[in-house]
Amino acid sequence: MQSFTEENYLKIIYHLAESSSNVQTNAIAEQMQTKPASVTDMIKKLAEKGYVDYVKYQGVTLTEKGKNAAIDIVRKHRLWEVFLVDKLNFKWDEVHDVAEELEHIKSETLIERLDEFLGFPKSDPHGDPIPDKNGRFAKTHFTKLIDLKVGDGGTITGVSQHSSAFLKLLEKLGLTLGKQIKINDVTDFDGSVEILVADKQINISREVAKHILISSNGKN
Amino acid sequence: MQSFTEENYLKIIYHLAESSSNVQTNAIAEQMQTKPASVTDMIKKLAEKGYVDYVKYQGVTLTEKGKNAAIDIVRKHRLWEVFLVDKLNFKWDEVHDVAEELEHIKSETLIERLDEFLGFPKSDPHGDPIPDKNGRFAKTHFTKLIDLKVGDGGTITGVSQHSSAFLKLLEKLGLTLGKQIKINDVTDFDGSVEILVADKQINISREVAKHILISSNGKN
DNA sequence: ATTTTTTTTTAGATTTACCTAAAAATAAAA
DNA sequence: TTTTATTTTTAGGTAAATCTAAAAAAAAAT
């Protein structure tokens, strides 16, 4: 199998590949908090081991093997997050760093039993889908709150930002998973959005609205 | 804090120190499955960081700081073992390797919450005491089964060998924690021990008897 | 179609934990 | 008390993952 570092690279490449098919060296470096030169080295190693396809100066794509390995890590990460929140009463903004460590524990039995213990959850505390043991999971197609029109409504079903600062803010604003919202107005000047949640009217910045994912349950 | 490797060294030195106050380089090497030369390197590093007192050619002893760090790892290891057995239905012979990885997860909150979730257990699945968050735990003074005399009885409260092979054997023989036993006879020829457990008479080798710990509840 | 900027790679070093082989210190045996 | 055996350390080297600085390729701008 792979080292912690290799696993982290695979996971990051996997996430970056969701938005652009060819993942760039610099993008990986930024996510890994390391230097592009180091990324080039690691990419070569991952290519040798058959986890990525790599053409010099053209970025990388995951092979089937690499994708499976990445999904496996994502599965572990998300299951551990559920454990921390459901069983150990962590808040959704406290789980990321610990899950980041737990995801590297290498025991298939452990993760299958954990999955069962948690009742085979389908999504993690941030609304992200949890792959099953075969790596399969429903493609979720949420709408970003920022893309809704005035009058549209829906349910908060995910976030695309896992930083503690962001999640704490949502918590404070009452914008947690499952909450119903409705777009009341979009401010011309700064693009901030006026929304109705739990009968209260609040205003959120574009930046915040970008990272809230809605499953729109109908226009009006 | 320390690296995984440093933590493993501290833990091993701590366990070795239970039987001999000055821990030898070779003994550490054997436990760490590495070479004495590597141990010398690491010992120097641990000494520099203040975890051990080290005099060339005289072996090491843990400092207060080193001892606390070691106990902290032992605490984590044993709590995770309880989790695996109590919550995920692992057998007592399946937990060691996984706990060996889990013990290195660095989050104080995690371990305090886990402790609470498990109901603040006092001992792990092998009968070893679990230090509390301040590193305190009852000094257990068990008798080795091998040291009992004919007619003595007691309760199995621990084992001093955690290998899967040994634990599986005990399981098969019905010699699990909490079982009452009584010494019926000691064979002159090979020193094997005839014991009564659950109304059945069985014979165990000296080697097995050495590693079963009894809290003797009275002679006869 | 050049020039400039950005991205990526190479080259050469560093750090951690390990190794082998040989030397030095200590302990055990004759 | 020498000799022998064991234990421990030193010296010098390797592999993994990183770094800086400089070179090379690709993309963007003029």
Side-chain angles (χ1 to χ4, degrees):
Chain A
M1 242 289 173
Q2 321 87 36
S3 70
F4 280 28
T5 314
E6 285 171 345
E7 290 189 350
N8 284 331
Y9 271 91
L10 289 175
K11 189 184 55 172
I12 276 166
I13 293 168
Y14 175 78
H15 286 311
L16 288 169
E18 285 171 343
S19 30
S20 66
S21 60
N22 257 50
V23 180
Q24 304 197 111
T25 304
N26 271 359
I28 299 172
E30 196 189 326
Q31 292 292 312
M32 283 292 298
Q33 312 219 70
T34 185
K35 296 292 142 71
S38 312
V39 174
T40 304
D41 285 348
M42 178 55 81
I43 278 173
K44 282 182 186 163
K45 192 173 146 194
L46 292 175
E48 253 173 47
K49 293 194 177 185
Y51 291 111
V52 298
D53 290 320
Y54 168 56
V55 183
K56 263 189 202 173
Y57 294 102
Q58 302 305 133
V60 288
T61 51
L62 288 171
T63 60
E64 203 55 29
K65 179 179 170 187
K67 199 172 156 190
N68 289 338
I71 288 176
D72 198 51
I73 300 157
V74 168
R75 167 169 160 79
K76 290 183 201 159
H77 183 100
R78 292 180 181 167
L79 281 174
W80 280 117
E81 285 197 346
V82 173
F83 170 70
L84 293 173
V85 168
D86 284 12
K87 304 296 181 181
L88 301 194
N89 297 116
F90 277 63
K91 306 239 188 69
W92 72 340
D93 60 281
E94 298 172 325
V95 297
H96 193 267
D97 292 351
V98 182
E100 206 74 357
E101 294 190 48
L102 285 163
E103 73 189 4
H104 299 294
I105 305 293
K106 283 164 190 48
S107 163
E108 208 172 307
T109 313
L110 171 64
I111 216 68
E112 298 326 326
R113 301 268 175 96
L114 182 65
D115 196 9
E116 189 185 349
F117 180 59
L118 299 173
F120 303 104
K122 291 276 170 293
S123 61
D124 79 9
H126 311 107
D128 295 309
I130 299 177
D132 70 17
K133 76 167 97 173
N134 303 307
R136 278 187 273 274
F137 56 101
K139 279 264 151 9
T140 51
H141 35 83
F142 302 144
T143 315
K144 293 178 193 157
L145 197 153
I146 194 78
D147 294 333
L148 296 183
K149 305 271 169 279
V150 172
D152 288 352
T155 311
I156 301 180
T157 34
V159 291
S160 59
Q161 239 273 337
H162 292 186
S163 78
S164 182
F166 177 65
L167 295 172
K168 270 192 175 128
L169 172 61
L170 291 198
E171 187 86 36
K172 195 173 134 203
L173 295 172
L175 299 172
T176 49
L177 295 200
K179 286 282 170 67
Q180 300 289 321
I181 60 111
K182 205 176 145 229
I183 312 291
N184 273 356
D185 197 16
V186 176
T187 312
D188 275 350
F189 177 65
D190 61 358
S192 67
V193 186
E194 200 119 286
I195 64 178
L196 194 75
V197 58
D199 292 326
K200 280 198 330 209
Q201 183 127 330
I202 61 171
N203 187 282
I204 58 176
S205 70
R206 276 185 67 79
E207 199 49 35
V208 168
K210 263 195 244 171
H211 295 297
I212 298 177
L213 304 175
I214 304 294
S215 78
S216 20
N217 54 1
K219 328 274 134 85
N220 91 321
Chain B
M1 245 285 173
Q2 321 88 35
S3 69
F4 279 28
T5 313
E6 287 170 344
E7 291 190 349
N8 284 331
Y9 270 91
L10 289 176
K11 189 182 54 169
I12 277 168
I13 294 169
Y14 176 78
H15 286 312
L16 288 170
E18 285 171 344
S19 30
S20 66
S21 59
N22 256 50
V23 180
Q24 302 197 113
T25 304
N26 271 0
I28 299 171
E30 196 189 327
Q31 292 292 311
M32 283 293 296
Q33 313 220 68
T34 185
K35 296 291 141 73
S38 311
V39 174
T40 303
D41 285 350
M42 179 54 81
I43 278 173
K44 282 182 187 163
K45 193 170 144 196
L46 292 175
E48 252 173 46
K49 291 194 178 183
Y51 290 112
V52 297
D53 289 321
Y54 169 55
V55 183
K56 263 188 202 173
Y57 293 100
Q58 302 306 132
V60 288
T61 51
L62 289 172
T63 60
E64 202 56 28
K65 178 179 170 188
K67 200 174 157 189
N68 289 337
I71 289 176
D72 198 50
I73 299 156
V74 168
R75 167 169 160 79
K76 289 183 201 160
H77 183 100
R78 293 181 179 166
L79 281 174
W80 280 116
E81 285 198 345
V82 173
F83 170 70
L84 294 172
V85 168
D86 284 12
K87 304 295 182 183
L88 300 194
N89 296 116
F90 276 63
K91 306 242 187 66
W92 72 340
D93 60 282
E94 298 172 325
V95 295
H96 192 267
D97 293 351
V98 182
E100 206 75 356
E101 293 190 47
L102 286 163
E103 72 189 5
H104 299 295
I105 305 294
K106 284 163 190 49
S107 164
E108 208 171 309
T109 313
L110 172 63
I111 217 67
E112 299 324 328
R113 300 267 175 97
L114 182 65
D115 196 10
E116 189 184 349
F117 179 60
L118 299 172
F120 303 104
K122 292 275 171 294
S123 60
D124 78 10
H126 310 109
D128 295 310
I130 299 176
D132 70 16
K133 76 167 98 175
N134 303 307
R136 279 187 273 274
F137 56 100
K139 277 265 155 3
T140 51
H141 35 83
F142 302 142
T143 314
K144 292 177 193 156
L145 195 153
I146 193 77
D147 294 333
L148 296 185
K149 305 272 169 277
V150 172
D152 287 354
T155 311
I156 302 180
T157 33
V159 292
S160 60
Q161 239 273 336
H162 293 186
S163 78
S164 182
F166 177 67
L167 296 172
K168 269 189 177 133
L169 172 61
L170 292 196
E171 187 86 36
K172 195 173 132 203
L173 295 171
L175 299 172
T176 49
L177 294 199
K179 285 284 169 65
Q180 299 289 321
I181 60 113
K182 201 174 146 234
I183 312 291
N184 273 355
D185 197 15
V186 176
T187 311
D188 276 349
F189 177 65
D190 62 356
S192 67
V193 186
E194 200 120 284
I195 63 177
L196 193 76
V197 58
D199 292 327
K200 278 197 333 207
Q201 183 128 329
I202 61 170
N203 186 281
I204 57 175
S205 70
R206 277 185 67 81
E207 199 49 34
V208 168
K210 262 195 244 171
H211 295 297
I212 299 177
L213 304 175
I214 305 294
S215 78
S216 18
N217 54 2
K219 327 274 134 84
N220 89 322

